[in-house]
Structure formats: C-alpha cells, structure tokens
Amino acid sequence: RIVATALLEPGDTVLVQQPCYQALRETPASLGAHIIDWRPALGWDFGLDALPDGAARASAIFLNSPHGPSGSMIGGRYAGPARLVADEVYRPITLVPRHRARSVLERGDASVSISDLSKPLGLGGLRIGWLATHDRALLASCARVLDYHSGSVSKLSALVAAAALSRFDELLEPHLRRARANLSLLAAFVEQHEAWFDWTPPQAGYTALLRFRAGAAPPALHAALRDRGVFALDGAVFDAPDHVRIGFGLDTPGFAEALGLFGDEVRRHIAPSPVPTPHGDVIVLAKEPRAGYTKTRLAAVVSSARGAELSAAFLRDTLAFAALRGRRLYIAYAPEDARDAFHTLAPDALAFAQPAGDLGARLSHAFETVIREGGLRPVLIGSDSPTLPAHLLAAAHAALMTHDVVLGPAEDGGYYLIGMNAPHVSLFSGIRWSSDAVLEQTLARAAEARLRVFVLPYWYDIDTASDLDRLQRDPLLRAESRRALAIGALAGAAAS
C-alpha cells in the first residue's frame, strides 16, 4: 500500500501479474487504478520481453518474483517506461546456491523491491518489512506515506528483526537444507505418479505446483485429504483448477508422510493418463564396466570385481530409461575400444568415443558432436545415478525451450545432468573437476556468460558404501540395480 499510494493517481494503468499475492492487485485497484491482468504460463519463468498488449500504456507493473506459488523466476529484458514493483519476499529462498533470482533493482533505477522476514525465516508475526529503490525521491515519498498511515514499530519487534537480519544467512540455511531435501522427495513422488501429474520444478521459494494430467481434481479428493489431515491447496484458488499447490518447507518426516497419504488418495480418486512422448535427445556419458576402471571409489570398499558388477547394472538401468525418455539416444563412451560392448548394450544408440582430456573436454566434445549431428535439445547424464527420476529428463528438455542451460545439481557439489542448445564451451573451462565446487563454479561461468539457467531438484550419485545403503532403500530402485544388489547380498550371506 505504501508504494502504490506514493506512485499512483486515480485512472493510472497498472499491469499486474496473475496469480499473485492478492494485495498486489487489490491495493492499486482500491486507489482507482485501471488494472490489466497478465497471466504468464504457470510454472515457467516469465519474461518481461513478452508482456501483453496494453503494457505500453501502464505506469507501473506489479510482480511477484520469484513467483508464488510456482517458484518460477523473472526473466527477459525490459526497457519500457513503466516502473517495476516486485514483491521479492521469496528471493532469498534459493533452492540451489548461487541460483538466486535477479532483483528488479538490477533492471533500472526506477524499480522498487519489496521484502520482509516472513517467508524466508518464518517471522511474519514481527510485521516488519522494507522496500528498496535507487529513486531517492520515491523513497522520500514512501516515507511520508508511511508516517501518515502507520504508527511506529514496537521496540521489541525492531530488536528481534535487527538480530535476525544480523544472522540472516545462518538462520536461513537450515530452512534451505530442509527445502532442498523435501524437493527431492517431491521429485521422487512425481516420478512414482507420473501418470497423474506433471510439473515444472520450482526455482525458488517453498511451494510448487503440480498439474493433474486428467484436468481439474474432483472435490472428493480434497475432501478425502482433509479427512486424513493433509492440506494441499486447490489450484482453483489461483484460477488454475487443474493444479494443486504443494508446500515443501515443513519438517521432512511430516512432509514424507503427507506425500504418502496424498498419493493414496490421488490413486483412489483419479484415473491415470498417458505420458507424452519425448521431445529431446539424451546423451549418456559412460565408461565400459571393467574391474579397476569404473566405480573406483566404490571398488575400494566392495572390491574391483564387485564395483564393475554394480557399474554394469547402473549402466544398463540408465541406458534403459534414457532410451525411453530420449527422442534419440547418444552414448559418449570410453575407452576408445569399447564400441562393440556399447553396441551390444544399446544397439539403436548413436555411439562415439570420448576424446582424451579432462571431464570438461569430454563434456564439451559430447555436446559439440551431438549438436553438429542435429541433436534436439540434448541433455547429458552419467550412469552414477541409477534411480534418477526419469521424468526430470522431460523437464530438462522442456526447460531448454526457454533457457540456455539446464543443470541437475548433485548432492556432492557436482551435477548429474547438464543440457544446452549450443555448445557453451566456457561452462567447462577452469572447473575444479571431482570437487564439491563443480556446480557452483559452473553457475558462476553461466552468469559471466549471461546465460539463462534452469535448475532441477537435487539427486545423488553412488560412490560410497553409505550411498549403496541408500540405494537399497530407494523406492525408485530399478530392475538391474536391484538384481545386482540382491546378488551381492546373497554372496555376502554365503560368505558369512
């Protein structure tokens, strides 16, 4: 209200993104502004270079970025005359470090950012927020409006807010860790219910939108969820009745339990639907499973021969789901004499040898080769994540329709997936490979090159004995890996 009162006169035209926090629309409307509703596609990052008709006559554009409830980010260039006013309370909630939404303050001196402590730290009861702008005259005008409309902040609230801000990153980090873990649980849930849902993984914030493939959910579903103590907000609240909003900021055990109950009721009330065909290509970067050559870290725990057996199982599972999810399957293999082995594993794949050099050289060569051969939205994965949700390949292909790069962050600090429409060689230069800085350095390179990056939920690689234990409990465990783990368990029991 403070910004709107300072900015607007009755009869001004205001463009408002929808859906949004209701006050963003109702406040300028209550001041006599003419509202133009702008509804960018739900879930995908929304571009200021694709504003609707009527934007040119707007004096202000009110946004919610990163967007609640979808978690999408603001993108595109804007050079129009209207002021950008953005509710940015979700902006600190970065689901991948270094992948924070750009502030509207970076898009012009007349822009205004609004934020508070409520969403990031759960301190809404303080009722303390702020606005930021480079326009000092507007700032002074807002201060006068605030003095007129509001009393002073309580001393206690001010002290608590100052203490929270002084330790903001420290207090926020546990919330972010929990949200990242829960988002991976949600990705596994969507994988198990892909015939019922699709989604665009959120880029920031604590909420995600799932879309029902069959259309709007029956009222009986939400009634049944309420009876079981599960609150999933009907997308009709956001004029999106074929969606449901999921909040993933709560404690992980409770979230996992709620997802289980939610899935039970969805399967009871809604029939499954067909899953669309692939619309992009997949590259698998792979080594031939040989004792002492593959899974060397794991082999140090389970023996070289056992490491090769597990590596072979992981590779077969990976090639199987990649072939199903790719319009065309490519294999970048090593060593150079392994062509026949990979032809036996995947006779329909287009295989080529990896060159000498570090991982960056091999990744760069794979993309250059596939793009030169006419590859469509190529996405590259390894074979170290055999339970990777396969639908994330489809999400990556879809993201490449609007982004330059897509990354799947791995829990060890690397990435399990990278996709791009052009061979951006700079992303593979100067990276400390096999370190926990790979993802962070790659995102930094992308920012330097001004590339638009879309990130997927975290997933894990299999490198250690504890990873194997986790794999055995994973509900997404695939057939070949399950068989190899069972054989190992039998051999261990016989030896004991």
Side-chain angles (χ1 to χ4, degrees), residues 407-487:
L407 286 168
E411 293 179 359
D412 62 6
Y415 51 79
Y416 60 80
L417 176 152
I418 182 169
M420 57 184 72
N421 291 308
H424 300 292
V425 178
S426 63
L427 298 190
F428 308 121
S429 301
I431 305 295
R432 286 193 289 122
W433 301 108
S434 301
S435 77
D436 60 5
V438 170
L439 177 67
E440 189 171 332
Q441 291 179 341
T442 304
L443 286 168
R445 297 286 183 279
E448 291 165 4
R450 302 186 68 81
L451 299 174
R452 290 193 66 191
V453 179
F454 188 90
V455 297
L456 300 169
Y458 277 87
W459 207 252
Y460 67 102
D461 295 335
I462 308 298
D463 288 315
T464 66
S466 61
D467 294 334
L468 274 183
D469 291 339
R470 179 176 179 180
L471 181 66
Q472 290 176 315
R473 300 189 304 270
D474 195 325
L476 302 184
L477 186 63
R478 294 184 169 93
E480 294 293 336
S481 299
R482 181 182 293 108
R483 187 176 299 115
L485 290 170
I487 291 170

Side-chain angles (χ1 to χ4, degrees), residues 36-348:
I36 299 176
D37 289 323
W38 172 40
R39 296 183 179 277
L42 274 175
W44 290 109
D45 291 359
F46 48 97
L48 292 174
D49 48 2
L51 295 172
D53 294 340
R57 63 177 186 272
S59 59
I61 299 174
F62 279 53
L63 306 166
N64 172 209
S65 179
H67 183 238
S70 69
S72 56
M73 290 185 177
I74 189 172
R77 299 179 181 275
Y78 178 72
R83 287 184 186 267
L84 299 178
V85 180
D87 172 356
E88 296 189 337
V89 295
Y90 284 118
R91 187 167 173 266
I93 307 171
T94 52
L95 298 174
V96 172
R98 293 192 67 98
H99 186 61
R100 178 173 289 187
R102 289 181 64 194
S103 173
V104 291
L105 298 180
E106 302 173 53
R107 298 172 184 274
D109 290 344
S111 300
V112 182
S113 168
I114 302 168
S115 193
D116 62 29
L117 293 170
S118 61
K119 295 298 188 297
L121 301 183
L123 295 175
L126 290 180
R127 309 294 296 166
I128 289 181
W130 56 87
L131 62 88
T133 178
H134 298 290
D135 186 338
R136 292 185 176 277
L138 175 61
L139 202 61
S141 179
C142 288
R144 289 192 295 272
V145 173
L146 178 63
D147 286 343
Y148 181 80
H149 284 283
S150 174
S152 62
V153 174
S154 78
K155 184 76 170 180
L156 181 59
S157 292
L159 289 171
V160 173
L165 286 170
S166 70
R167 299 174 54 203
F168 188 85
D169 291 341
E170 176 189 350
L171 294 173
L172 181 61
E173 186 56 33
H175 298 281
L176 295 181
R177 285 199 302 267
R178 182 169 59 242
R180 292 163 186 159
N182 288 348
L183 189 59
S184 297
L185 286 177
L186 187 55
F189 172 84
V190 174
E191 180 74 5
Q192 293 170 301
H193 296 83
E194 193 182 7
W196 287 267
F197 296 109
D198 70 1
W199 70 325
T200 303
Q203 302 298 282
Y206 297 137
T207 60
L209 284 178
L210 306 187
R211 187 183 71 86
F212 292 104
R213 292 192 186 277
L221 171 63
H222 289 282
L225 290 172
R226 284 194 297 271
D227 289 343
R228 300 191 71 174
V230 176
F231 176 63
L233 187 60
D234 190 340
V237 172
F238 308 106
D239 294 325
D242 57 342
H243 287 72
V244 61
R245 189 196 73 174
I246 304 293
F248 55 89
L250 63 161
D251 70 281
T252 297
F255 182 66
E257 181 182 3
L259 278 182
L261 296 173
F262 180 46
D264 290 346
E265 296 303 328
V266 165
R267 294 189 299 273
R268 273 199 333 117
H269 288 88
I270 301 176
S273 300
V275 176
T277 55
H279 48 270
D281 296 335
V282 179
I283 311 167
V284 175
L285 191 77
K287 294 180 179 179
E288 183 185 9
R290 296 178 182 177
Y293 181 64
T294 53
K295 305 308 296 177
T296 52
R297 286 179 59 191
L298 192 60
V301 178
V302 299
S303 82
S304 295
R306 180 71 177 134
E309 289 175 5
L310 291 169
S311 178
F314 300 163
L315 176 60
R316 288 193 293 269
D317 278 335
T318 300
L319 291 174
F321 77 73
L324 289 174
R325 293 304 174 133
R327 183 190 69 115
R328 181 180 295 172
L329 174 63
Y330 296 86
I331 302 175
Y333 63 83
E336 192 174 6
D337 62 358
R339 172 179 288 275
D340 290 345
F342 279 96
H343 178 74
T344 300
L345 283 170
D348 295 327

Side-chain angles (χ1 to χ4, degrees), residues 8-39:
L8 302 175
E9 298 289 341
D12 283 351
T13 296
V14 177
L15 183 73
V16 183
Q17 175 196 4
Q18 292 291 336
C20 67
Y21 181 52
Q22 192 172 9
L24 289 179
R25 187 185 195 282
E26 298 308 319
T27 299
S30 71
L31 296 170
H34 171 65
I35 306 298
I36 299 176
D37 289 323
W38 172 40
R39 296 183 179 277

